[in-house]
Amino acid sequence: MRTAPTILHLDMDAFFASVEQASKPSLRGKAVVVGGLGPRGVVATASYEARVFGVHSAMPMAQARRLAPNAAYLVPRFGFYRAISERVMELLRALSPLVEPLSLDEAFVDLEAGGAAWDERSARLAGAQLRSDIRTVTGLTGSVGLAASKMLAKIASEQAKPDGLVVIEPGTERAMLGPMSVRTLPGVGPATGDHLRRAGITTVEEIAEAGEDELVRLLGKAHGHGLYAMALARDDRPVVAEREAKSVSVEDTYDVDIHDRLRVGLEVQRLADRCVRRLRGAGLSGRTIVLKVRRYDFSTLTRSETLRGPTDDPGVIREAAARLLDSVDTTGGVRLLGVGVSGLADYTQEDLFAQAAGERANAEGPLEEPATAPVEERPALAERRWPAGHDVRHAEFGHGWVQGSGLGRVTVRFETPDSGPGRVRTLRVDDPQLEPADPLPLVLPRAPRPEGGRGPDGGAGAVGARSAAP
């Protein structure tokens, strides 16, 4: 354990929902729920206003609607979230070379490794500056925890929520952890927590008092030893800069079970193409193709095929996924499909499939992937869908976002991050003046400062940032 709180944990506050509120002035201060809106959808993130009603992540969307019927329910815009996340990660990497992202909105940082902090005071200053920089760059808020270990830094950031900073000073860990629930410790979920409760153990201090041997008897050797160490605030895990990806995969859950075998095959091909785009976007290739099928009765089957060498060839991966599908009975219906690639490498290797494709290309002429290969599926104009919360632009009314659609109509609120609440209009779904649009930045880029860093009036250069935070 360190002698200074130089491990930082950042957790962006209700990230997806906060992005939506910052992007949509009419939703600021309102209950917002982001997730799958179909009958089988689940909540990805709920704003703090929605959490008051008991809505939380991983909750079935149908249950969330019963708890908060007047909330705004939006389809995620993951591409936009990733872009904002990258801006945040850039700020973290400026602090230290050791940044360990856990998700789009969460990461550990070793401040000591980057020389950004060496004691409690410098760590606190670094954390405060980071929160200020995040607000300036993104218009959003994040909570920061600082401690001498990863476990304690994460606990501190949870205590700091929302929009705060908590420092756990070395030497105070045991006293701080003691009265907390056992569920505070990593790896203690509902099942383990219930098992400990039946043994009369409900707090972290009671775990320490029970002793290591008793925990091993209750939970097994590995879990018992690990939990006892955490109860004593022992955690020597380092911040790891690069967490090697083990696989790349995509999957879709369908609102209505798919029975048509042809449709199932087409969905698998589409998922294979999406998986390839993720592979190529990460500069990876893989040897093992994996197909996941969840059937009508919730039984889940996985099938895999290992190639002779790593590939990112879409034709190879589509063909392998199709062969795997041939071995699965989908007669009763399919509710989920997924395609993944594992055995990853940062290079590709010619294999028999790719060579065969090359021979066909030479015989039949060059087969080029269209320059406009879709990054996301784009339905034809007559089949356009308007997901709730996604961005649109109208030739007459300007930029807006979809509030809802149905019965041949789409309702759009026309507003931008810095416009204030906008007007609502209902249009035909096939209105030729309405088209999907890219999200607008939450914060305008900073205006370049004159040489020397001073403005023309002798003061600091003007900053053209707009804060979209509520």
Side-chain angles (χ1 to χ4, degrees), residues 89-112:
M89 296 302 165
E90 286 174 3
L91 294 174
L92 300 184
R93 287 190 285 268
L95 288 174
S96 172
L98 294 183
V99 176
E100 183 178 340
L102 303 179
S103 62
L104 290 178
D105 60 342
E106 187 179 1
F108 287 110
V109 183
D110 187 335
L111 296 176
E112 189 174 329

Side-chain angles (χ1 to χ4, degrees), residues 40 56 65 71 114-115 134 143 265 292 303 305 337 348 370 449:
R40 294 170 180 165
H56 57 78
R65 288 184 183 277
I134 288 173
S143 297
K292 177 180 177 182
R303 298 287 186 268
E305 175 180 317
L337 289 168
T348 60
R449 293 188 177 189

Side-chain angles (χ1 to χ4, degrees), residues 1 24 26 36 121 123 128 174 285 341 424 449 462:
M1 290 276 291
K24 303 170 172 63
S26 59
R121 180 176 178 276
R174 288 285 303 276
S285 61
V341 177
V424 176
R449 293 188 177 189

